[in-house]
Amino acid sequence: MHYKRILLKLSGEALMGDRQYGIDPVRLAEYAKEIKAVTDKGVEVAIVIGGGNIFRGVSGASKGMDRVTGDHMGMLATVINGLALQSALEDAGIQTRLQSAVKINEVAEPFIRRKAMRHLEKGRVVIFGGGTGNPYFTTDSAAVLRAIEIHADVILKGTRVDGIYTADPEKDKKATKFDFISFDDVLTKGLKVMDTTAFTLSQENKLPIIVFDMNKPGNLEKVVTGENIGTKVNL
């Protein structure tokens, strides 16, 4: 394997499948199958998942809700998604632990860095829920922070697009895809990969990011074996 320990970042919207909101069990099962394929090869997998399919703090704040309250609701949404993904992974025969930055001891372990790393060493998938545990920070920031803490080799951002383009490929048919791009070029060109806080944190810690299409079967395995899938952001 090209990467020994990975941090997989999934959006909450990815779990909706073809639905308008909520969680699609079929999509969950597909993701569990993809993740099992790489864990069977000895890759250590940690996951951070968003909560946008259930609630977005920023969206709530724009409609008059207190931003801190909205973000706390968003954190709880990520725990709900984490529980759903944990169930799907365990149905696929993968030992999984859910750790939450927000204390919900009856539902998930509290986030303890050394414990998370020990789970990974034992071949368990670790899902990090609750974001960073703080309002005003996105799950992108949580993904980068956790990846640095557990010494992940790379952040894999699974999306519905097969990489980073010069423009939104769903709106601009002339948009071209990058196979490789530097952190500086992403910032210079104003491309949207992650929010600025998360992206800068990744750059400062020299942690590469690969953006790829998670919905295409086999792509996750191809990425971890080193195939040129998606777009790699590196120094």
Side-chain angles (χ1 to χ4, degrees):
M1 293 292 102
H2 195 70
Y3 300 107
K4 174 63 177 172
R5 179 176 291 173
I6 65 171
L7 189 294
L8 177 62
K9 169 62 169 66
L10 298 172
S11 68
E13 287 90 339
L15 299 189
M16 293 192 299
D18 296 326
R19 300 184 177 196
Q20 297 299 312
Y21 61 88
I23 300 170
D24 180 5
V26 175
R27 178 57 55 83
L28 275 178
E30 290 171 352
Y31 283 174
K33 184 179 178 181
E34 295 294 305
I35 294 165
K36 188 176 191 308
V38 299
T39 57
D40 284 348
K41 293 182 179 293
V43 178
E44 297 173 4
V45 180
I47 302 170
V48 168
I49 191 161
N53 58 320
I54 299 173
F55 190 83
R56 276 190 178 279
V58 173
S59 176
S62 70
K63 296 173 182 175
M65 180 179 289
D66 176 68
R67 173 66 188 271
V68 175
T69 299
D71 281 355
H72 282 143
M73 292 172 70
M75 290 177 210
L76 296 176
T78 69
V79 175
I80 292 171
N81 284 338
L83 284 166
L85 185 58
Q86 179 182 39
S87 178
L89 290 169
E90 290 180 342
D91 284 345
I94 306 169
Q95 288 194 22
T96 310
R97 296 292 186 272
L98 173 61
Q99 292 196 343
S100 173
V102 180
K103 289 185 180 179
I104 318 176
N105 294 339
E106 290 79 9
V107 173
E109 296 178 1
F111 169 68
I112 300 173
R113 173 179 171 268
R114 289 183 179 274
K115 198 168 185 179
M117 295 176 74
R118 185 65 178 142
H119 286 321
L120 292 169
E121 289 165 1
K122 289 184 176 181
R124 298 166 183 155
V125 169
V126 180
I127 302 169
F128 297 118
T132 65
N134 302 289
Y136 295 98
F137 288 91
T138 66
T139 49
D140 278 349
S141 293
V144 177
L145 178 61
R146 296 291 179 249
I148 295 166
E149 288 179 308
I150 65 172
H151 303 309
D153 299 320
V154 65
I155 294 176
L156 304 182
K157 185 166 183 179
T159 68
R160 62 184 182 184
V161 181
D162 63 344
I164 301 170
Y165 284 75
T166 53
D168 187 342
E170 295 179 350
K171 297 178 181 177
D172 186 351
K173 299 301 180 184
K174 294 181 180 180
T176 56
K177 176 176 167 287
F178 296 100
D179 290 331
F180 300 93
I181 189 169
S182 69
F183 282 97
D184 287 339
D185 282 345
V186 168
L187 295 172
T188 301
K189 297 177 187 296
L191 302 175
K192 185 66 176 175
V193 178
M194 289 182 165
D195 70 77
T196 307
T197 302
F199 193 76
T200 304
L201 186 61
S202 188
Q203 181 182 22
E204 288 177 349
N205 288 274
K206 301 177 182 178
L207 183 64
I209 303 167
I210 297 177
V211 180
F212 73 106
D213 183 359
M214 182 67 185
N215 295 336
K216 186 174 180 180
N219 265 4
L220 179 60
E221 187 174 358
K222 289 177 181 177
V223 170
V224 298
T225 55
E227 286 192 39
N228 185 20
I229 300 293
T231 301
K232 184 172 184 178
V233 185
N234 212 336
L235 296 176

